[in-house]
Amino acid sequence: MKTMMRLKDGIPILEPHGKIVGPAVSELRERLALELLDASDKPCFLIDFEHVHKIDSSALGMLVNVHVIAAQMKSRIGIINVGRHIKNLLVLSRLVSIFEHFESEDAAVSAFTSD
């Protein structure tokens, strides 16, 4: 799995590509923890799922874990471009309500920069 990171108006946007399964889950968690959560006192960031076509239960668990860490830091995590498959998994696992969803990248960046 390849993961890109870019900034838009000072908001980090993480863009994983491919499947988030198996070893890729640990890779993504390390990237989130090291580059985003540890990078600031009160980080906020977006995860763009546009190029992700599969995740597994360990990826869901990792996302919950990262959310808990971010919440303890009074941070925010937003998700954008969530495909039908991943959205269905979030709904079925009842995790859909813990993440901030945005219809577009611009809407998410606007919401995060207005705080």
Side-chain angles (χ1 to χ4, degrees), residues 8-48:
K8 182 169 183 176
D9 295 337
I11 304 297
I13 302 172
L14 197 68
E15 297 177 324
H17 291 251
K19 300 176 185 177
I20 305 176
V21 297
V25 174
S26 297
E27 277 179 43
L28 184 58
R29 191 202 183 295
E30 284 182 33
R31 187 100 192 245
L32 286 166
L34 295 175
E35 291 186 22
L36 299 175
L37 293 174
D38 290 345
S40 161
D41 291 334
K42 189 178 174 185
C44 63
F45 59 91
L46 298 170
I47 304 173
D48 184 347

